[in-house]
Amino acid sequence: MSDIQNKVVVITGASSGIGEAAARLLAARGASVVLGARRVDRLQALVEELQAAGQQAACRAVDVTRRDDVQSLIDFAVERFGRVDVIVNNAGVMPLSKLEALKVEEWDRMIDVNIRGVLHGIAAGLPLMQRQRSGQFINIASIGAYTVSPTAAVYCATKFAVRAISEGLRQEVGGDVRVTVISPGVTESELAESISDEGGRAEMREFRKIAIPAEAIARAIAYAVEQPADVDVSELVVRPTASPF
């Protein structure tokens, strides 16, 4: 039996891309998935599809920049399935632009979603996992958590922060709670749709020519989840074989 079987997994940003792919894979392997995102219509369609296949799934509208929303998602998961074993902090945005473009509102949005969203997931889930004396956070970072490129300064800063927060959490929680950072390289997703700057769009179009499917990152998530409780996969970088980055 897979160690994913019967686990309760909460996934943010689950209406598309990596979050959707992870929901499909983990549900197929026997997990009960609780999905959160702003586009609740897409979540509901995905839940209905999974349930029609005999899988356990539920959803709730969530804006990860709102702490109460994330807490409500965790509370809903506990009410529905009795516990939470894994929280995948996946929601993210990537409106790339050079700093000189002064897209300050986009900077703020990245900070709110990419950093505060992860912190809100931790704040909602950590007390529960400490009471359970078990659990796992899987925080989705990026290859941008390891290197910086033009147009990506603020985005990379938020992903460096995800790594730092995750490592601090790992050191603090001891042996009961596992913490994993997964850093995708160029992956098929809707992230590029948030880029309003034409220079950033052009750069991302070039990157996307070698993108790997979201299912590749879903498999990495499953790998981290299925390890025995005494094995903590701390960091995984998953990128296209042809990627120079």
Side-chain angles (χ1 to χ4, degrees):
M1 179 182 293
S2 166
D3 286 319
I4 294 173
Q5 190 86 30
N6 299 322
K7 284 193 173 180
V8 179
V9 182
V10 176
I11 305 171
T12 66
S15 61
S16 65
I18 292 168
E20 178 183 357
R24 291 180 185 281
L25 180 60
L26 296 175
R29 294 195 184 180
S32 298
V33 296
V34 179
L35 312 179
R38 290 178 300 160
R39 295 178 295 184
V40 70
D41 56 329
R42 296 183 66 160
L43 290 179
Q44 289 172 339
L46 177 56
V47 165
E48 289 171 6
E49 179 186 330
L50 297 177
Q51 290 177 340
Q55 297 160 8
Q56 296 294 315
C59 68
R60 192 179 183 97
V62 171
D63 179 345
V64 297
T65 69
R66 298 173 58 87
R67 182 180 175 187
D68 289 348
D69 273 20
V70 182
Q71 185 65 61
S72 294
L73 177 66
I74 300 303
D75 292 345
F76 170 67
V78 173
E79 179 183 335
R80 183 70 177 267
F81 295 110
R83 59 186 292 112
V84 171
D85 298 296
V86 183
I87 296 175
V88 182
N89 287 310
N90 167 70
V93 294
M94 188 182 65
L96 303 181
S97 64
K98 288 187 176 180
L99 292 171
E100 67 186 23
L102 298 180
K103 292 184 177 288
V104 178
E105 291 183 358
E106 292 185 357
W107 301 349
D108 290 343
R109 180 66 178 165
M110 280 188 279
I111 291 167
D112 286 343
V113 176
N114 297 356
I115 301 178
R116 288 195 177 94
V118 170
L119 289 170
H120 290 164
I122 292 169
L126 184 56
L128 171 64
M129 291 182 184
Q130 288 176 322
R131 289 194 300 271
Q132 293 175 168
R133 298 188 64 90
S134 69
Q136 182 175 21
F137 290 98
I138 298 181
N139 299 328
I140 305 301
S142 166
I143 54 168
Y146 299 85
T147 186
V148 182
S149 60
T151 75
V154 178
Y155 175 74
C156 291
T158 66
K159 295 304 186 175
F160 270 76
V162 171
R163 280 186 69 209
I165 291 163
S166 301
E167 176 60 13
L169 178 63
R170 185 194 68 79
Q171 293 180 24
E172 291 177 7
V173 293
D176 292 336
V177 179
R178 301 188 294 171
V179 182
T180 298
V181 177
I182 296 179
S183 294
V186 185
T187 305
E188 294 170 0
S189 74
E190 296 181 358
L191 272 180
E193 294 182 10
S194 65
I195 301 174
S196 65
D197 181 81
E198 186 50 45
R201 277 183 173 274
E203 183 175 321
M204 187 49 57
R205 278 195 294 269
E206 285 300 308
F207 286 166
R208 290 289 158 122
K209 290 179 180 178
I210 56 168
I212 55 176
E215 289 77 13
I217 312 304
R219 291 192 297 270
I221 292 170
Y223 171 76
V225 172
E226 69 188 2
Q227 299 307 306
D230 62 346
V231 175
D232 195 352
V233 178
S234 299
E235 294 192 50
L236 285 169
V237 178
V238 183
R239 65 184 117 201
T241 303
S243 175
F245 309 104

